[in-house]
Amino acid sequence: MKASRLASAMLILAVSTALAACGDTDKATTAGSTTPAPTSAAPSAVATSAAATSASSPAAGAATDKQLCAAVKKANDKMRAELVKVATTGDASAADFKKILTGLEQEVTTVAATGDGKLADALRTFGAEAAKAAAAADPATAADNPAFEKAGKDVSAACKAAGINVIL
């Protein structure tokens, strides 16, 4: 019972730490239109079309770092609410953590697809780490790793530079 709660707390801490960062100091490549980030949960189709758009014209249509960070903050708040819900309803299962991490990965990947530059790259890395943790037999334990933590810190630092603090 205590191991389950410890794993839950560690997952919350790992994901929160990872998402606490958001921003990019490379403003020249991300200063584009003010198109808001999509909220769709279909990252692969969005990622493909956004990648094609940004490859042909890096600044055209790309979301700014501030917009990316605002979207990540929204995704983080949603994930946090889900974690609190799971933690307060009793024993959290591996399936609960898998669902939360999968949703987080999808949202972060969707947000990353709308941007360009270092922040978007950091978001893609974070999404990949969330997907790895979600695919593990014990997602809570898998999320507690240095690569996931570093990916989150990179995103957090970039968002702080963009003027948005993502506090978990």
Side-chain angles (χ1 to χ4, degrees):
M1 193 83 143
K2 287 186 179 183
S4 173
R5 294 200 187 274
L6 178 60
S8 298
M10 290 179 70
L11 175 65
I12 291 169
L13 177 62
V15 172
S16 296
T17 301
L19 281 177
C22 180
D24 189 1
T25 58
D26 185 16
K27 306 259 188 276
T29 61
T30 58
S33 72
T34 58
T35 305
T39 57
S40 149
S44 59
V46 173
T48 304
S49 64
T53 301
S54 65
S56 62
S57 178
T64 65
D65 287 352
K66 196 165 195 163
Q67 290 170 322
L68 292 174
C69 292
V72 167
K73 184 174 181 359
K74 185 176 178 179
N76 177 52
D77 291 346
K78 182 177 174 181
M79 178 272 313
R80 177 180 261 187
E82 286 295 317
L83 281 173
V84 168
K85 181 179 169 185
V86 167
T88 58
T89 59
D91 288 332
S93 69
D96 292 329
F97 290 118
K98 178 179 180 144
K99 179 182 174 188
I100 291 168
L101 285 167
T102 299
L104 179 63
E105 179 268 329
Q106 289 174 344
E107 290 196 37
V108 168
T109 301
T110 300
V111 170
T114 66
D116 197 13
K118 291 179 184 178
L119 176 56
D121 291 343
L123 289 169
R124 286 191 256 309
T125 301
F126 181 81
E129 289 298 324
K132 284 183 203 175
D138 184 359
T141 301
D144 185 26
N145 72 67
F148 196 30
E149 185 177 340
K150 181 186 181 318
K153 285 182 180 180
D154 291 346
V155 173
S156 294
C159 282
K160 187 173 183 179
I164 295 183
N165 289 322
V166 180
I167 300 172
L168 306 174

